[in-house]
Amino acid sequence: MKSGIAVPEKELLNTDPRVKLIAAKLKKEQYKPDALIEILHTAQNAYGYLPMEVLRYITKALHLPPSRVYSTVTFYHFFSLKSKGEHTCLVCTGTACYVKGAKEILNEIEKKMGLKAGDVSADNKLGIQVARCIGACGLAPAVVIDDEVAPRMTADNIVSILNEKMQTT
């Protein structure tokens, strides 16, 4: 049920360098709807995730229905509608990693960091994610920390690595 009260949309500032980057990509792609995924990649790289106001901006610029943009974003695993955190920890739970201790690694992270898979810390310093397979089976159990694959992880050393990462920022 609608309340009849209009909620103002958050406007993007044209002076924001991230918006300028997206605008340049839109112009380069000649505002073609077929370039949606490339433009979303540019926006995701600029913001670290895809805020709703950015999706509205892209939707209007490409003259696409919001449902098409939203369904594209939610279909592809790469895109995220919420911040992944300043530092990210992606635990592989593919068969090889799972057999060699991925579940114990994830349990230790959840216990010591107080975060579940898919959560981001309140201070936005750390985000925890899970992937079915990262394709590094020979390095099992593998964890991706800030886009770097950490091979043969153990539950004991993952928390110290994450704490060290968070203290350096």
Side-chain angles (χ1 to χ4, degrees):
M1 186 167 139
K2 293 185 178 182
S3 65
I5 300 172
V7 178
E9 287 185 18
K10 186 176 176 186
E11 283 293 318
L12 294 176
L13 300 175
N14 291 332
T15 56
D16 186 333
R18 299 172 297 184
V19 175
K20 288 181 178 183
L21 189 67
I22 297 166
K25 183 67 171 178
L26 285 162
K27 186 175 180 180
K28 180 183 178 200
E29 298 296 338
Q30 301 173 348
Y31 300 91
K32 291 180 183 172
D34 292 346
L36 175 61
I37 291 177
E38 290 179 43
I39 293 162
L40 290 171
H41 275 286
T42 299
Q44 172 108 353
N45 288 337
Y47 283 85
Y49 70 108
L50 294 168
M52 291 308 285
E53 60 269 13
V54 171
L55 294 180
R56 282 191 287 273
Y57 173 74
I58 292 169
T59 297
K60 288 178 184 177
L62 296 179
H63 302 290
L64 288 170
S67 60
R68 178 163 171 209
V69 175
Y70 186 79
S71 65
T72 301
V73 169
T74 56
F75 179 80
Y76 291 103
H77 177 74
F78 173 80
F79 297 123
S80 177
L81 292 170
K82 63 181 185 174
S83 174
K84 293 181 180 180
E86 195 175 315
H87 295 285
T88 57
C89 176
L90 177 89
V91 179
C92 179
T93 58
T95 304
C97 290
Y98 195 87
V99 167
K100 292 191 174 187
K103 184 65 176 164
E104 291 78 18
I105 291 169
L106 192 55
N107 288 342
E108 189 70 8
I109 292 169
E110 290 177 347
K111 185 173 116 184
K112 297 284 171 77
M113 306 308 276
L115 296 171
K116 297 253 184 235
D119 287 351
V120 177
S121 62
D123 61 2
N124 202 41
K125 290 257 187 207
L126 179 64
I128 307 298
Q129 300 168 16
V130 173
R132 291 273 181 223
C133 181
I134 63 168
C137 302
L139 305 175
V143 176
V144 181
I145 303 171
D146 292 341
D147 298 324
E148 290 184 29
V149 177
R152 297 170 196 70
M153 273 292 117
T154 65
D156 292 334
N157 64 4
I158 187 66
V159 173
S160 62
I161 291 170
L162 293 175
N163 280 328
E164 186 179 308
K165 284 273 189 187
M166 290 175 41
Q167 290 175 358
T168 59
T169 56

